[in-house]
């Protein structure tokens, strides 16, 4: 069992930045960030494997978001720059995937989420 706790969400203006953090209760080989806006399906944003450092990004965030891990602290961080209104969503941390991709069905453990709101 892995408990995940997210933090760092909030409200920011278009073009601004936010940093999300996720602390896991123990080591997980692959961790990821997902998001879900009202009325939309949950989508993968970014993932990172601790085994090989491989990262994956959704096309919509590539070049603006950066995912990183501190394996010693079991922490996954998402640096979000140049935020757009369409980035507004609840952001969830996930763990427990062997493949480390961006498919929600591959992940076993989920945090409660942190809200990100981008205003114009």
């Amino acid at each position: 069992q892995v408990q995940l706790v997210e933090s760092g969400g909030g409200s920011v203006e278009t073009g601004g930045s936010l940093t999300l953090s996720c602390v896991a209760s123990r080591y997980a080989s692959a961790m990821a960030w997902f998001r879900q806006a009202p009325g939309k399906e949950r989508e993968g944003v970014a993932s990172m494997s601790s085994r090989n450092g491989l990262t994956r990004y959704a096309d919509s965030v590539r070049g603006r978001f950066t995912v990183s891990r501190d394996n010693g602290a079991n922490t996954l961080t998402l640096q979000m720059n140049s935020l757009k209104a369409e980035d507004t969503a609840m952001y969830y941390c996930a763990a427990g995937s062997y493949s480390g991709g961006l498919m929600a069905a591959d992940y076993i453990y989920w945090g409660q989420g942190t809200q990100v709101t981008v205003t114009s």
Side-chain angles (χ1 to χ4, degrees), residues 15-19 63-66 79-84 87:
S17 299
L18 280 175
T19 302
R64 300 187 297 121
F65 291 10
T66 302
Q79 176 65 45
M80 306 185 294
N81 298 326
S82 302
L83 283 162
K84 305 175 181 179
D87 295 317

Side-chain angles (χ1 to χ4, degrees), residues 30-112:
M31 296 178 69
W33 288 99
F34 289 78
R35 67 186 182 186
Q36 188 167 20
K40 295 187 177 181
E41 293 187 355
R42 189 168 297 190
E43 64 168 341
V45 175
S47 68
M48 188 169 190
S49 168
S50 67
R51 291 182 293 112
N52 54 21
L54 180 67
T55 58
R56 293 182 173 93
Y57 293 94
D59 290 342
S60 59
V61 306
R62 187 174 290 111
R64 300 187 297 121
F65 291 10
T66 302
V67 65
S68 61
R69 287 188 67 157
D70 180 342
N71 289 327
N74 294 331
T75 300
L76 184 73
T77 299
L78 185 67
Q79 176 65 45
M80 306 185 294
N81 298 326
S82 302
L83 283 162
K84 305 175 181 179
E86 51 263 43
D87 295 317
T88 295
M90 184 70 78
Y91 283 69
Y92 297 91
C93 179
S97 167
Y98 180 78
S99 64
L102 294 177
M103 297 292 291
D106 290 342
Y107 289 83
I108 301 172
Y109 307 108
W110 293 84
Q112 293 299 308

